Amino acid sequence: MSGAILFIKEDLKTTEVQEEIFLGILSIISILGILAGGRISDAIGRKPAMGLAAFVFQAGAVIMTVSPTFEVLMIGRILAGIGIGFGVMIAPVYIAEISPAFARGSLSSFPEIFINLGILLGFVSNYAFSGLPAHLNWRIMLAVGILPAVFIAFALCIIPESPRWLVMQNRIQEARAILLKTNDNDTEVDERLSEIQLAAGITDAEKHQSKAVWRELLSPTPALRRMMITGFGIQCFQQITGIDATIYYSPKIFKAAGIDGNSNLLAATVAVGVTKTAFILVAIVLIDKVGRKPLLYVSTIGMTLCLFTLGTSLSIPGEGSVGIALAILSVCANVAFFSVGIGPVCWVLTSEIFPLRLRAQASALGGVCSRVCSGLIAMSFLSVSHAITTAGIFLVFSLLSAISVAFVYTMVPETKGKSLEQIELLFQNNICGGFGIKNFISSKFLGDKHKVSARTA
């Protein structure tokens, strides 16, 4: 959309305020899909819910492609937002529930990987079609977005249902059959099945004692409150540091740095897409080796420095090619640090830390936090940049990123290599703050002492 909006403005004569609303409304309206997605995926299953998400998004993409006016374009954008809301909520939950503990971090990064691949392909298609007439090029850019939904339709013919969801429906044998495909032996399968049954609360005692999910979220226990602060907080920090605004408005940022011409602007955005995609692949290799928290430290500290450098470079007039190079380098480095840490780790953590009976709704609320922050940033970026300059807004982002470093230190536990049920114990025992790099070093150099202590706890 970052490239298409340049030509939509030229073709449909949209105003700057309409631009902000059009770009930002997708994140805001996706809240409907996120909130509905939790209930729908619990009711009909994770797999059918993903199919529904693809269908709704595809309908939105088709309407945007053929829209004759801005109003019709907005209808398509709204439908696309609802479909995206379904997707960002259901996919991480499904992957976390079907993955074995040793590979869950890497596999849970897949949504973020393919989001980044989609962003890269979007940047490439923007550049490839930018030479066509203005009334045609943006429509082709948006039509390309129909293809992923078609691929999902084929994928749904292959993938299994979530074993944890099947356990919640008392379809135990079906769940066991799926676990046999993702675990090494029958003993491990039986252990995992027992853990899932216990976590799902399907014993008679828990059935009679459990509160309604939403009531439990609204009146949380101290442990659940810590989970909510961690999960929802990391989702907010992922967005208020300006990553979506950087992607949406990258042509305008590069224009402020001194690059002229739509083709040159869109070519520069391809570098952003390549960087973002490359470093998400780095994250998937490291996330189950070094852990979640060390990656978060590297990510948030690196983003703070890059955002500060970008704000500083944009505030110095007349730098010429040096200023342009520094702006491009800062934006690329910022998305690199985002992709290697807080981008994928945020979704991994949100899908890991909540108890099974609450996971879908809690993940939905986490997605709401993310989308609200993203939408507000996207819908106010141009207006705020006019008020305090583009340089000023990135200096604000750098301050917020610095605060996120402190949040990671105090509120985020290390979850690497732990079962979803063991992670609950971390929050029940309040083992969160300052727990990460120290734990990683201890596990490497102090043997199994800490592992034994963890099992005893």
Side-chain angles (χ1 to χ4, degrees), residues 131-332:
L132 298 175
H135 71 279
L136 181 62
N137 54 13
W138 64 269
R139 297 181 189 277
I140 298 177
M141 293 174 189
L142 300 186
V144 172
I146 298 170
L147 297 178
V150 176
F151 297 149
I152 289 174
F154 288 104
L156 290 174
C157 299
I158 302 171
I159 64 174
E161 182 55 88
S162 160
R164 285 175 171 82
W165 182 82
L166 291 171
V167 168
M168 292 174 70
Q169 307 303 310
N170 266 336
R171 293 158 61 178
I172 308 300
Q173 291 306 312
E174 293 177 61
R176 191 177 191 280
I178 292 171
L179 287 171
L180 283 169
K181 298 177 181 178
T182 59
N183 291 272
D184 292 332
N185 53 62
D186 288 358
T187 303
E188 188 176 341
V189 167
D190 290 335
E191 288 176 359
R192 297 299 303 132
L193 193 58
S194 297
E195 287 181 354
I196 294 169
Q197 287 177 278
L198 182 62
I202 66 170
T203 62
D204 290 338
E206 289 196 358
K207 272 186 177 179
H208 295 295
Q209 293 174 7
S210 61
K211 295 185 288 184
V213 170
W214 286 109
R215 191 186 309 163
E216 192 169 352
L217 289 171
L218 293 173
S219 301
T221 63
L224 180 56
R225 187 179 297 112
R226 286 190 285 271
M227 293 176 190
M228 293 170 70
I229 292 171
T230 298
F232 302 165
I234 201 70
Q235 289 275 10
C236 290
F237 277 114
Q238 186 200 49
Q239 293 299 328
I240 63 175
T241 48
I243 189 64
D244 277 2
T246 303
I247 298 300
Y248 281 143
Y249 296 107
S250 52
K252 293 183 181 293
I253 295 167
F254 292 140
K255 187 174 182 179
I259 298 177
D260 295 321
N262 286 339
S263 293
N264 291 332
L265 291 171
L266 296 178
T269 65
V270 173
V272 177
V274 170
T275 304
K276 204 168 188 299
T277 304
F279 278 86
I280 197 68
L281 297 176
V282 175
I284 196 172
V285 172
L286 296 179
I287 195 167
D288 280 321
K289 291 184 178 179
V290 304
R292 284 58 158 157
K293 198 159 184 175
L295 288 182
L296 283 174
Y297 281 134
V298 171
S299 177
T300 51
I301 293 171
M303 287 174 64
T304 301
L305 296 175
C306 292
L307 289 165
F308 181 80
T309 302
L310 178 59
T312 303
S313 69
L314 293 175
S315 66
I316 302 174
E319 283 192 288
S321 58
V322 175
I324 292 173
L326 188 58
I328 294 175
L329 182 62
S330 298
V331 170
C332 289

Side-chain angles (χ1 to χ4, degrees), residues 112 116 275-277 279-280 283 299 334-341 343-344:
E112 189 68 20
N116 280 277
T275 304
K276 204 168 188 299
T277 304
F279 278 86
I280 197 68
S299 177
N334 181 56
V335 299
F337 280 115
F338 176 88
S339 294
V340 85

Side-chain angles (χ1 to χ4, degrees), residues 367-386:
V368 168
C369 294
S370 173
R371 294 301 89 198
V372 167
C373 293
S374 172
L376 291 177
I377 295 294
M379 294 175 79
S380 61
F381 181 86
L382 293 178
S383 300
V384 174
S385 64
H386 285 320

Side-chain angles (χ1 to χ4, degrees), residues 434-449:
F435 192 78
I437 290 178
K438 185 170 113 178
N439 183 62
F440 171 67
I441 294 173
S442 297
S443 68
K444 291 293 182 186
F445 299 107
L446 299 182
D448 293 332
K449 177 181 176 182

Side-chain angles (χ1 to χ4, degrees), residues 42-58:
D42 277 349
I44 67 175
R46 314 308 194 211
K47 183 176 170 179
M50 284 188 283
L52 180 61
F55 175 79
V56 174
F57 178 82
Q58 188 176 42

